[in-house]
Amino acid sequence: MIYASGAEFRAAREKRVLLFGMSGLGKTHLSNLLRDAGGWFHYSVDYRIGTRYMGEYIADNFKREAMKVPLLRELLMTDSVYIASNITFDNLAPLSTYLGKPGDPARGGVPFAEYCTRQAQHREAEIAALHDTLRFIDRARDIYGYSNFVCDSGGSICEVVDATDRNDPVMAALSGTLLMVWIKGSEAHRAELVRRFDRAPKPIYYQPDFLAGLWAEYLAQEGKPEDQVDPDAFLRFGYARLLDHRQPRYAAMAEWGVTVTAEEVAQVTDAVGFDDLIARAIDRRKAP
């Protein structure tokens, strides 16, 4: 780890942390809190993915839909309108909408082969955006004068790295420059995440082999062809399994850094409280 003790972290002229864990446990909450307090640069991996690496895919998808409407088709063909996503740190809907859900097109689904293509695009984009973290640390300091840096990673970070491999290029680069911080949820948090997801299923990124197995299992269970699958029903079917699949992957990543609980995160109300949270986690990790 880049900080040997909680005291060293508190005294550091440059505090650099990367937050990871399931979506909904507090990564963006903490990042926004630090940014709003001042003195911290907030780097959102999902925002970088949706702007730098998948922005063109997203806009092209909007244009394909617009071309189905005669009026919009005419305006597009004459360069009379401009179509782009309005993605922000707090609204990543354009990215998730493009990622989509597999299944019946009449219910908003996309063919599974196309879905897999978009998944592969996201994987490549996420790896690139994670590598960009180091460059943004320098940019934040050199251009804007920020000495403290928080990387707000996506929930799928554990799917694009192999934390059991000490030579994994992404993990090695990140952990050598930032403190890796896992926000770990409890069983109660898991149940709440599942409840929220059941109410409003959202597109999500899966590790390829896990997705293939999940899709085959669902098709066998339902006995339906791919183009008749209810997209939301498939996502609900797989979400709890996804949480269980990711848990050991997050735990392996935590071996490169420290762990805090979602309950601890919920108690943080300012930058000083964040420093306390991380310092305690470092000392806890170092304790015999």
Side-chain angles (χ1 to χ4, degrees), residues 5-190:
S5 67
E8 183 177 320
F9 175 77
R10 292 179 189 277
R13 295 182 61 185
E14 294 188 353
K15 296 182 175 72
R16 300 187 300 269
V17 299
L18 181 147
L19 305 175
F20 67 93
M22 280 302 300
S23 297
L25 294 182
K27 299 188 304 292
T28 301
H29 164 71
L30 285 180
S31 299
N32 286 339
L33 183 152
L34 293 172
R35 183 187 69 221
D36 292 345
W40 284 81
F41 186 90
H42 175 188
Y43 177 68
S44 168
V45 170
D46 282 340
Y47 179 78
R48 181 68 170 168
I49 291 170
T51 52
R52 172 65 176 83
Y53 293 106
M54 294 188 71
E56 192 170 293
Y57 294 135
I58 293 167
D60 284 352
N61 193 47
F62 291 162
K63 291 171 185 176
R64 275 190 289 270
E65 293 302 313
M67 287 290 283
K68 299 174 184 178
V69 180
L71 173 62
L72 293 178
R73 176 187 173 85
E74 179 179 346
L75 292 171
L76 278 173
M77 294 298 290
T78 57
D79 289 328
S80 299
V81 294
Y82 176 75
I83 295 179
S85 73
N86 188 28
I87 193 169
T88 67
F89 280 18
D90 298 316
N91 180 16
L92 298 166
L95 175 59
S96 60
T97 298
Y98 174 74
L99 198 57
K101 311 170 185 179
D104 184 357
R107 288 181 277 190
V110 298
F112 188 68
E114 171 63 20
Y115 183 70
C116 289
T117 295
R118 297 182 186 189
Q119 289 272 309
Q121 291 168 348
H122 190 282
R123 179 182 181 84
E124 181 179 339
E126 184 162 7
I127 291 171
L130 287 168
H131 278 300
D132 284 348
T133 304
L134 277 62
R135 185 160 64 86
F136 268 80
I137 291 173
D138 292 336
R139 290 185 69 190
R141 182 196 309 110
D142 296 343
I143 299 176
Y144 305 110
Y146 285 103
S147 56
N148 300 323
F149 186 97
V150 57
C151 176
D152 177 8
S153 72
S156 56
I157 183 175
C158 66
E159 307 286 19
V160 301
V161 301
D162 180 4
T164 64
D165 178 4
R166 301 307 292 187
N167 294 314
D168 181 88
V170 176
M171 287 298 297
L174 293 174
S175 65
T177 310
L178 303 99
L179 178 66
M180 309 291 287
V181 180
W182 179 25
I183 301 178
K184 182 180 181 180
S186 64
E187 281 301 312
H189 288 110
R190 179 186 182 279

